[in-house]
PDB file of all heavy atoms in Angstrom:
ATOM      1  N   GLY B 203      98.271 -14.259  73.579  1.00 92.00           N
ATOM      2  CA  GLY B 203      97.024 -14.891  73.171  1.00 92.00           C
ATOM      3  C   GLY B 203      97.263 -15.852  72.022  1.00 92.00           C
ATOM      4  O   GLY B 203      97.912 -15.522  71.047  1.00 92.00           O
ATOM      5  N   LYS B 204      96.752 -17.070  72.171  1.00 91.00           N
ATOM      6  CA  LYS B 204      96.952 -18.083  71.136  1.00 91.00           C
ATOM      7  C   LYS B 204      95.713 -18.270  70.294  1.00 91.00           C
ATOM      8  O   LYS B 204      95.788 -18.605  69.112  1.00 91.00           O
ATOM      9  CB  LYS B 204      97.312 -19.424  71.790  1.00 91.00           C
ATOM     10  CG  LYS B 204      98.654 -19.403  72.485  1.00 91.00           C
ATOM     11  CD  LYS B 204      99.765 -19.425  71.473  1.00 91.00           C
ATOM     12  CE  LYS B 204     101.101 -19.505  72.156  1.00 91.00           C
ATOM     13  NZ  LYS B 204     102.204 -19.618  71.220  1.00 91.00           N
ATOM     14  N   THR B 205      94.532 -18.158  70.914  1.00 92.00           N
ATOM     15  CA  THR B 205      93.298 -18.358  70.164  1.00 92.00           C
ATOM     16  C   THR B 205      92.248 -17.367  70.681  1.00 92.00           C
ATOM     17  O   THR B 205      92.441 -16.719  71.706  1.00 92.00           O
ATOM     18  CB  THR B 205      92.720 -19.780  70.363  1.00 92.00           C
ATOM     19  OG1 THR B 205      92.395 -19.952  71.730  1.00 92.00           O
ATOM     20  CG2 THR B 205      93.706 -20.854  69.951  1.00 92.00           C
ATOM     21  N   GLY B 206      91.144 -17.309  69.967  1.00 93.00           N
ATOM     22  CA  GLY B 206      89.978 -16.551  70.408  1.00 93.00           C
ATOM     23  C   GLY B 206      90.248 -15.075  70.633  1.00 93.00           C
ATOM     24  O   GLY B 206      91.116 -14.475  70.017  1.00 93.00           O
ATOM     25  N   THR B 207      89.470 -14.499  71.559  1.00 94.00           N
ATOM     26  CA  THR B 207      89.591 -13.076  71.839  1.00 94.00           C
ATOM     27  C   THR B 207      90.975 -12.743  72.391  1.00 94.00           C
ATOM     28  O   THR B 207      91.512 -11.680  72.117  1.00 94.00           O
ATOM     29  CB  THR B 207      88.511 -12.651  72.848  1.00 94.00           C
ATOM     30  OG1 THR B 207      87.256 -13.166  72.390  1.00 94.00           O
ATOM     31  CG2 THR B 207      88.413 -11.156  72.960  1.00 94.00           C
ATOM     32  N   GLU B 208      91.543 -13.657  73.148  1.00 94.00           N
ATOM     33  CA  GLU B 208      92.892 -13.430  73.681  1.00 94.00           C
ATOM     34  C   GLU B 208      93.865 -13.133  72.547  1.00 94.00           C
ATOM     35  O   GLU B 208      94.741 -12.289  72.669  1.00 94.00           O
ATOM     36  CB  GLU B 208      93.376 -14.659  74.452  1.00 94.00           C
ATOM     37  CG  GLU B 208      92.673 -14.889  75.774  1.00 94.00           C
ATOM     38  CD  GLU B 208      93.325 -14.149  76.946  1.00 94.00           C
ATOM     39  OE1 GLU B 208      93.920 -13.085  76.718  1.00 94.00           O
ATOM     40  OE2 GLU B 208      93.216 -14.631  78.081  1.00 94.00           O
ATOM     41  N   GLN B 209      93.698 -13.835  71.440  1.00 92.00           N
ATOM     42  CA  GLN B 209      94.586 -13.613  70.306  1.00 92.00           C
ATOM     43  C   GLN B 209      94.167 -12.372  69.507  1.00 92.00           C
ATOM     44  O   GLN B 209      94.991 -11.528  69.165  1.00 92.00           O
ATOM     45  CB  GLN B 209      94.578 -14.838  69.388  1.00 92.00           C
ATOM     46  CG  GLN B 209      95.542 -14.712  68.240  1.00 92.00           C
ATOM     47  CD  GLN B 209      95.352 -15.814  67.210  1.00 92.00           C
ATOM     48  OE1 GLN B 209      94.240 -16.302  67.001  1.00 92.00           O
ATOM     49  NE2 GLN B 209      96.429 -16.209  66.575  1.00 92.00           N
ATOM     50  N   ALA B 210      92.856 -12.273  69.254  1.00 92.00           N
ATOM     51  CA  ALA B 210      92.378 -11.178  68.402  1.00 92.00           C
ATOM     52  C   ALA B 210      92.621  -9.818  69.049  1.00 92.00           C
ATOM     53  O   ALA B 210      92.874  -8.838  68.356  1.00 92.00           O
ATOM     54  CB  ALA B 210      90.887 -11.374  68.103  1.00 92.00           C
ATOM     55  N   MET B 211      92.540  -9.751  70.376  1.00 92.00           N
ATOM     56  CA  MET B 211      92.693  -8.469  71.063  1.00 92.00           C
ATOM     57  C   MET B 211      94.074  -8.333  71.666  1.00 92.00           C
ATOM     58  O   MET B 211      94.283  -7.519  72.564  1.00 92.00           O
ATOM     59  CB  MET B 211      91.648  -8.349  72.180  1.00 92.00           C
ATOM     60  CG  MET B 211      90.210  -8.489  71.747  1.00 92.00           C
ATOM     61  SD  MET B 211      89.662  -7.089  70.751  1.00 92.00           S
ATOM     62  CE  MET B 211      89.764  -5.799  71.958  1.00 92.00           C
ATOM     63  N   GLU B 212      95.036  -9.124  71.201  1.00 91.00           N
ATOM     64  CA  GLU B 212      96.377  -9.137  71.785  1.00 91.00           C
ATOM     65  C   GLU B 212      96.951  -7.725  71.944  1.00 91.00           C
ATOM     66  O   GLU B 212      97.485  -7.377  72.999  1.00 91.00           O
ATOM     67  CB  GLU B 212      97.296  -9.990  70.902  1.00 91.00           C
ATOM     68  CG  GLU B 212      98.753 -10.044  71.340  1.00 91.00           C
ATOM     69  CD  GLU B 212      98.951 -10.724  72.684  1.00 91.00           C
ATOM     70  OE1 GLU B 212      98.130 -11.584  73.026  1.00 91.00           O
ATOM     71  OE2 GLU B 212      99.910 -10.376  73.403  1.00 91.00           O
ATOM     72  N   ALA B 213      96.802  -6.922  70.921  1.00 89.00           N
ATOM     73  CA  ALA B 213      97.410  -5.584  70.956  1.00 89.00           C
ATOM     74  C   ALA B 213      96.872  -4.767  72.128  1.00 89.00           C
ATOM     75  O   ALA B 213      97.618  -4.030  72.770  1.00 89.00           O
ATOM     76  CB  ALA B 213      97.146  -4.861  69.650  1.00 89.00           C
ATOM     77  N   SER B 214      95.573  -4.904  72.444  1.00 91.00           N
ATOM     78  CA  SER B 214      94.996  -4.136  73.555  1.00 91.00           C
ATOM     79  C   SER B 214      95.355  -4.759  74.890  1.00 91.00           C
ATOM     80  O   SER B 214      95.625  -4.064  75.867  1.00 91.00           O
ATOM     81  CB  SER B 214      93.475  -4.093  73.438  1.00 91.00           C
ATOM     82  OG  SER B 214      93.107  -3.408  72.266  1.00 91.00           O
ATOM     83  N   LEU B 215      95.350  -6.087  74.951  1.00 93.00           N
ATOM     84  CA  LEU B 215      95.499  -6.784  76.223  1.00 93.00           C
ATOM     85  C   LEU B 215      96.927  -6.787  76.736  1.00 93.00           C
ATOM     86  O   LEU B 215      97.162  -6.875  77.938  1.00 93.00           O
ATOM     87  CB  LEU B 215      95.026  -8.242  76.080  1.00 93.00           C
ATOM     88  CG  LEU B 215      93.521  -8.442  75.888  1.00 93.00           C
ATOM     89  CD1 LEU B 215      93.229  -9.859  75.429  1.00 93.00           C
ATOM     90  CD2 LEU B 215      92.788  -8.157  77.190  1.00 93.00           C
ATOM     91  N   ARG B 216      97.908  -6.723  75.832  1.00 90.00           N
ATOM     92  CA  ARG B 216      99.289  -6.987  76.236  1.00 90.00           C
ATOM     93  C   ARG B 216      99.875  -5.931  77.169  1.00 90.00           C
ATOM     94  O   ARG B 216     100.504  -6.255  78.163  1.00 90.00           O
ATOM     95  CB  ARG B 216     100.182  -7.128  75.014  1.00 90.00           C
ATOM     96  CG  ARG B 216     101.595  -7.575  75.378  1.00 90.00           C
ATOM     97  CD  ARG B 216     102.523  -7.571  74.206  1.00 90.00           C
ATOM     98  NE  ARG B 216     102.166  -8.568  73.226  1.00 90.00           N
ATOM     99  CZ  ARG B 216     102.670  -8.593  72.000  1.00 90.00           C
ATOM    100  NH1 ARG B 216     103.518  -7.691  71.615  1.00 90.00           N
ATOM    101  NH2 ARG B 216     102.294  -9.535  71.152  1.00 90.00           N
ATOM    102  N   GLY B 217      99.714  -4.667  76.850  1.00 88.00           N
ATOM    103  CA  GLY B 217     100.333  -3.624  77.671  1.00 88.00           C
ATOM    104  C   GLY B 217     101.776  -3.389  77.243  1.00 88.00           C
ATOM    105  O   GLY B 217     102.237  -3.938  76.242  1.00 88.00           O
ATOM    106  N   ARG B 218     102.466  -2.547  78.005  1.00 86.00           N
ATOM    107  CA  ARG B 218     103.850  -2.214  77.666  1.00 86.00           C
ATOM    108  C   ARG B 218     104.804  -2.658  78.758  1.00 86.00           C
ATOM    109  O   ARG B 218     104.479  -2.612  79.940  1.00 86.00           O
ATOM    110  CB  ARG B 218     104.006  -0.716  77.452  1.00 86.00           C
ATOM    111  CG  ARG B 218     103.604  -0.268  76.042  1.00 86.00           C
ATOM    112  CD  ARG B 218     103.942   1.184  75.877  1.00 86.00           C
ATOM    113  NE  ARG B 218     105.390   1.373  75.993  1.00 86.00           N
ATOM    114  CZ  ARG B 218     106.164   1.532  74.931  1.00 86.00           C
ATOM    115  NH1 ARG B 218     105.651   1.537  73.732  1.00 86.00           N
ATOM    116  NH2 ARG B 218     107.460   1.701  75.083  1.00 86.00           N
ATOM    117  N   ALA B 219     105.992  -3.065  78.330  1.00 84.00           N
ATOM    118  CA  ALA B 219     106.960  -3.603  79.270  1.00 84.00           C
ATOM    119  C   ALA B 219     107.413  -2.568  80.286  1.00 84.00           C
ATOM    120  O   ALA B 219     107.589  -1.399  79.953  1.00 84.00           O
ATOM    121  CB  ALA B 219     108.176  -4.122  78.502  1.00 84.00           C
ATOM    122  N   GLY B 220     107.591  -2.998  81.527  1.00 82.00           N
ATOM    123  CA  GLY B 220     108.256  -2.167  82.510  1.00 82.00           C
ATOM    124  C   GLY B 220     109.709  -2.643  82.598  1.00 82.00           C
ATOM    125  O   GLY B 220     110.127  -3.509  81.844  1.00 82.00           O
ATOM    126  N   SER B 221     110.465  -2.068  83.508  1.00 79.00           N
ATOM    127  CA  SER B 221     111.836  -2.542  83.660  1.00 79.00           C
ATOM    128  C   SER B 221     112.253  -2.421  85.102  1.00 79.00           C
ATOM    129  O   SER B 221     111.688  -1.665  85.872  1.00 79.00           O
ATOM    130  CB  SER B 221     112.776  -1.717  82.776  1.00 79.00           C
ATOM    131  OG  SER B 221     112.647  -0.348  83.105  1.00 79.00           O
ATOM    132  N   LYS B 222     113.230  -3.238  85.467  1.00 77.00           N
ATOM    133  CA  LYS B 222     113.792  -3.087  86.804  1.00 77.00           C
ATOM    134  C   LYS B 222     115.296  -3.097  86.686  1.00 77.00           C
ATOM    135  O   LYS B 222     115.867  -3.719  85.791  1.00 77.00           O
ATOM    136  CB  LYS B 222     113.296  -4.208  87.721  1.00 77.00           C
ATOM    137  CG  LYS B 222     113.723  -5.596  87.305  1.00 77.00           C
ATOM    138  CD  LYS B 222     113.212  -6.624  88.294  1.00 77.00           C
ATOM    139  CE  LYS B 222     113.392  -8.037  87.763  1.00 77.00           C
ATOM    140  NZ  LYS B 222     112.788  -9.062  88.582  1.00 77.00           N
ATOM    141  N   ARG B 223     115.941  -2.370  87.573  1.00 73.00           N
ATOM    142  CA  ARG B 223     117.396  -2.338  87.552  1.00 73.00           C
ATOM    143  C   ARG B 223     117.878  -3.181  88.714  1.00 73.00           C
ATOM    144  O   ARG B 223     117.432  -3.021  89.846  1.00 73.00           O
ATOM    145  CB  ARG B 223     117.896  -0.899  87.697  1.00 73.00           C
ATOM    146  CG  ARG B 223     117.431  -0.041  86.513  1.00 73.00           C
ATOM    147  CD  ARG B 223     118.229   1.230  86.407  1.00 73.00           C
ATOM    148  NE  ARG B 223     118.204   1.973  87.654  1.00 73.00           N
ATOM    149  CZ  ARG B 223     119.224   2.687  88.104  1.00 73.00           C
ATOM    150  NH1 ARG B 223     120.353   2.729  87.433  1.00 73.00           N
ATOM    151  NH2 ARG B 223     119.127   3.354  89.235  1.00 73.00           N
ATOM    152  N   ILE B 224     118.765  -4.087  88.404  1.00 71.00           N
ATOM    153  CA  ILE B 224     119.277  -4.938  89.479  1.00 71.00           C
ATOM    154  C   ILE B 224     120.794  -4.875  89.462  1.00 71.00           C
ATOM    155  O   ILE B 224     121.401  -4.654  88.425  1.00 71.00           O
ATOM    156  CB  ILE B 224     118.833  -6.406  89.300  1.00 71.00           C
ATOM    157  CG1 ILE B 224     119.049  -6.834  87.857  1.00 71.00           C
ATOM    158  CG2 ILE B 224     117.403  -6.610  89.698  1.00 71.00           C
ATOM    159  CD1 ILE B 224     118.644  -8.239  87.607  1.00 71.00           C
ATOM    160  N   GLU B 225     121.373  -5.033  90.625  1.00 66.00           N
ATOM    161  CA  GLU B 225     122.812  -4.992  90.715  1.00 66.00           C
ATOM    162  C   GLU B 225     123.329  -6.424  90.671  1.00 66.00           C
ATOM    163  O   GLU B 225     122.821  -7.299  91.367  1.00 66.00           O
ATOM    164  CB  GLU B 225     123.207  -4.319  92.023  1.00 66.00           C
ATOM    165  CG  GLU B 225     124.660  -3.913  92.037  1.00 66.00           C
ATOM    166  CD  GLU B 225     125.003  -3.173  93.307  1.00 66.00           C
ATOM    167  OE1 GLU B 225     124.142  -2.440  93.814  1.00 66.00           O
ATOM    168  OE2 GLU B 225     126.115  -3.351  93.805  1.00 66.00           O
ATOM    169  N   VAL B 226     124.349  -6.631  89.844  1.00 62.00           N
ATOM    170  CA  VAL B 226     124.929  -7.963  89.765  1.00 62.00           C
ATOM    171  C   VAL B 226     126.379  -7.874  90.210  1.00 62.00           C
ATOM    172  O   VAL B 226     127.018  -6.840  90.066  1.00 62.00           O
ATOM    173  CB  VAL B 226     124.864  -8.525  88.326  1.00 62.00           C
ATOM    174  CG1 VAL B 226     123.441  -8.784  87.931  1.00 62.00           C
ATOM    175  CG2 VAL B 226     125.511  -7.571  87.353  1.00 62.00           C
ATOM    176  N   ASN B 227     126.904  -8.958  90.758  1.00 53.00           N
ATOM    177  CA  ASN B 227     128.319  -8.940  91.131  1.00 53.00           C
ATOM    178  C   ASN B 227     129.151  -9.394  89.958  1.00 53.00           C
ATOM    179  O   ASN B 227     128.631  -9.661  88.873  1.00 53.00           O
ATOM    180  CB  ASN B 227     128.554  -9.783  92.397  1.00 53.00           C
ATOM    181  CG  ASN B 227     128.304 -11.246  92.132  1.00 53.00           C
ATOM    182  OD1 ASN B 227     128.156 -11.659  90.982  1.00 53.00           O
ATOM    183  ND2 ASN B 227     128.256 -12.030  93.184  1.00 53.00           N
ATOM    184  N   ALA B 228     130.461  -9.501  90.151  1.00 47.00           N
ATOM    185  CA  ALA B 228     131.357  -9.762  89.026  1.00 47.00           C
ATOM    186  C   ALA B 228     131.058 -11.094  88.346  1.00 47.00           C
ATOM    187  O   ALA B 228     131.356 -11.293  87.188  1.00 47.00           O
ATOM    188  CB  ALA B 228     132.795  -9.732  89.498  1.00 47.00           C
ATOM    189  N   ALA B 229     130.429 -12.002  89.066  1.00 48.00           N
ATOM    190  CA  ALA B 229     130.077 -13.284  88.459  1.00 48.00           C
ATOM    191  C   ALA B 229     128.718 -13.233  87.801  1.00 48.00           C
ATOM    192  O   ALA B 229     128.247 -14.220  87.234  1.00 48.00           O
ATOM    193  CB  ALA B 229     130.096 -14.379  89.512  1.00 48.00           C
TER     194      ALA B 229
END
Side-chain angles (χ1 to χ4, degrees):
Chain B
K204 293 286 184 176
T205 63
T207 311
E208 289 272 29
Q209 184 190 32
M211 303 291 295
E212 177 64 29
S214 297
L215 290 166
R216 187 186 293 167
R218 277 186 63 101
S221 57
K222 63 179 169 187
R223 297 197 306 146
I224 46 180
E225 195 177 325
V226 293
N227 67 11

